[in-house]
Amino acid sequence: MSSCCPSSAAASSDISSGVKDYYGKVLKSSDDLQTTACQTPVTSSISKNIRLVMSQIHADVMSKYYGCGMCVPSCLTNMNIVDLGSGSGRDSYILSRLVGQQGNVIGVDMTDEQLAVANKYIDYHTTKFGYKQANVKFVKGIIEDLQKVGIDDNSTDIVISNCVVNLCEDKKKVLKEIYRILKFGGELYFSDVYCDRQLPQSVRKHRVLWNECVSGALYWEDLNKFAIEVGFEIPRIYSAHSFEITKPELKQVVGDVKFVSVVYRLFKIDKSKKTSEKKQVIYDGGVDGCEQNIKFDYKLEFSTETPMTIDDVTWNIINQSRLNDFFESKKASCCAKFVKTEVENPFEVVARDCEFTKPPTSSPCC
């Protein structure tokens, strides 16, 4: 844990109580947020099938949604999923629909008011999705200790979290718990806020900014360090966007610190079964919503039409994960070009993306 974060039990309890009050009593809807950190950008790419499911989610659940990304990965049929900081249940209900009747979703939250909203609409969504019985439940607990809510070791296919890890004091402890409950081949797919430096105490202690996922943001290098130390493979950036603190009184507190919201993919694989070969793979299709193409991270998208060479790191993930059934593979030629898996600075990723999408300043040559 970074030394700039509060470390005493009293400080941790104060943080937890403040977060519960903020999301349970202060905020009535997303309109009450003071920053854009806990809001999914309008430009966020949301697939057609997810938009369809979102249209089936009850309006009360939607209005209580606070998140900085879309935390719904692909290839979900029959999966067992845990949603950390599930709040009013928006993402949990989307996942409930996508995993199907044989899948299972557990939402974990510590805020009574949010849990009340989520639990109120279990029967509504069970009927809406045409299920014989509910495949989702919501339990009260803290995400640093999932044993207390009965989630066993190596029991979960996917863990998601939407702008919640930064609200916890001990981020590395959260990652350890997630690693514990994931099966080999399992994935943490989560959205969170990161900063471009270690934050000073003046920012860390600001309660509104903490509750809005800003003051608790990890330095991006620490996320990569903690994840690898815990046992995960190198974090993969799925998407990223920057945002600014615009309210003058809050802008004055953060100064020139930069923030970015990132959807990361962290995989847990059995290291004893890793290979060192790069592979040529082709996507066979078959994943709902990804009939022709399937996105793996911001750099890699696989197609049913074109084989692609990948490095050993990416192959080990595909080979051990739920994605394996949807790919064919063979040994790649020694001279084949491939994208190397490495730790990446999300601020540089966002800067490159902005540069690529800038409109031309003059007419292009013919």
Side-chain angles (χ1 to χ4, degrees):
M1 188 66 196
S2 173
S3 61
C4 65
C5 294
S7 58
S8 69
S12 180
S13 177
D14 182 50
I15 288 170
S16 179
S17 296
V19 170
K20 283 195 286 187
D21 286 344
Y22 198 70
Y23 286 90
K25 296 180 173 63
V26 176
L27 297 181
K28 302 304 180 185
S29 74
S30 57
D31 294 335
D32 297 325
L33 293 166
Q34 301 297 301
T35 71
T36 59
C38 294
Q39 297 180 17
T40 304
V42 175
T43 57
S44 179
S45 178
I46 301 175
S47 66
K48 182 179 179 181
N49 65 319
I50 293 178
R51 288 184 187 276
L52 178 61
V53 177
M54 289 176 68
S55 70
Q56 298 177 299
I57 307 302
H58 196 281
D60 288 353
V61 171
M62 294 294 290
S63 70
K64 290 283 188 178
Y65 158 73
Y66 315 112
C68 59
M70 174 52 67
C71 289
V72 181
S74 57
C75 194
L76 297 177
T77 303
N78 298 334
M79 292 292 106
N80 293 317
I81 302 179
V82 173
D83 180 3
L84 300 181
S86 51
S88 65
R90 190 205 74 162
D91 289 352
S92 292
Y93 282 124
I94 293 173
L95 294 166
S96 167
R97 177 64 181 85
L98 295 174
V99 299
Q101 180 69 85
Q102 302 306 312
N104 181 66
V105 180
I106 301 174
V108 181
D109 205 275
M110 66 179 183
T111 307
D112 291 331
E113 292 84 353
Q114 291 282 73
L115 286 167
V117 175
N119 280 306
K120 180 179 179 180
Y121 294 104
I122 288 178
D123 289 344
Y124 171 88
H125 290 99
T126 301
T127 301
K128 193 77 170 177
F129 300 156
Y131 294 161
K132 293 181 180 179
Q133 60 185 23
N135 66 349
V136 60
K137 69 176 181 179
F138 299 95
V139 296
K140 185 175 181 178
I142 59 172
I143 68 175
E144 298 95 324
D145 189 356
L146 298 171
Q147 283 183 320
K148 286 188 175 179
V149 295
I151 303 179
D152 296 331
D153 297 359
N154 308 309
S155 62
T156 305
D157 296 302
I158 303 168
V159 174
I160 73 154
S161 177
N162 200 334
C163 209
V164 171
V165 175
N166 55 54
L167 294 173
C168 300
E169 181 193 356
D170 193 338
K171 277 78 167 171
K172 190 172 183 179
K173 185 176 181 181
V174 174
L175 291 177
K176 285 181 178 178
E177 265 298 86
I178 294 169
Y179 191 86
R180 177 187 68 80
I181 70 172
L182 281 173
K183 302 174 183 177
F184 284 125
E187 173 184 10
L188 166 60
Y189 186 98
F190 75 121
S191 180
D192 226 316
V193 174
Y194 302 91
C195 49
D196 66 346
R197 68 198 73 181
Q198 301 287 358
L199 293 177
Q201 280 291 322
S202 58
V203 179
R204 290 284 185 201
K205 291 182 177 180
H206 196 283
R207 282 292 165 255
V208 171
L209 289 175
W210 184 283
N211 292 333
E212 297 234 352
C213 309
V214 176
S215 292
L218 265 181
Y219 177 37
W220 71 268
E221 288 190 357
D222 285 344
L223 179 278
N224 286 274
K225 174 186 174 184
F226 292 165
I228 293 169
E229 287 177 350
V230 165
F232 286 106
E233 296 300 292
I234 293 174
R236 324 281 299 220
I237 296 176
Y238 188 83
S239 62
H241 71 271
S242 60
F243 66 91
E244 294 185 2
I245 308 300
T246 56
K247 284 205 168 186
E249 63 272 26
L250 300 180
K251 175 68 174 175
Q252 186 176 8
V253 176
V254 300
D256 61 353
V257 177
K258 292 181 173 60
F259 297 93
V260 65
S261 177
V262 186
V263 175
Y264 273 111
R265 306 186 78 170
L266 275 60
F267 289 90
K268 173 183 175 179
I269 68 169
D270 186 342
K271 292 173 175 51
S272 69
K273 297 180 179 179
K274 290 174 72 171
T275 69
S276 57
E277 284 186 341
K278 61 180 184 285
K279 293 279 188 175
Q280 184 185 86
V281 300
I282 189 165
Y283 174 52
D284 284 337
V287 174
D288 288 345
C290 304
E291 284 72 21
Q292 302 297 322
N293 300 278
I294 188 167
K295 181 179 174 181
F296 188 72
D297 59 28
Y298 87 96
K299 291 189 297 188
L300 290 177
E301 183 168 331
F302 299 105
S303 167
T304 56
E305 298 181 355
T306 307
M308 179 181 292
T309 299
I310 56 176
D311 67 1
D312 59 312
V313 179
T314 304
W315 167 245
N316 282 311
I317 291 171
I318 290 176
N319 189 41
Q320 292 193 35
S321 73
R322 66 191 189 279
L323 300 171
N324 184 51
D325 291 340
F326 301 95
F327 283 84
E328 294 180 20
S329 68
K330 66 179 182 179
K331 185 177 180 179
S333 64
C334 60
C335 56
K337 294 182 179 180
F338 60 91
V339 176
K340 180 177 175 59
T341 302
E342 56 190 356
V343 172
E344 294 190 81
N345 181 340
F347 291 90
E348 293 179 356
V349 171
V350 170
R352 288 198 299 270
D353 184 59
C354 290
E355 186 65 31
F356 295 154
T357 56
K358 280 182 180 177
T361 56
S362 59
S363 300
C365 297
C366 57

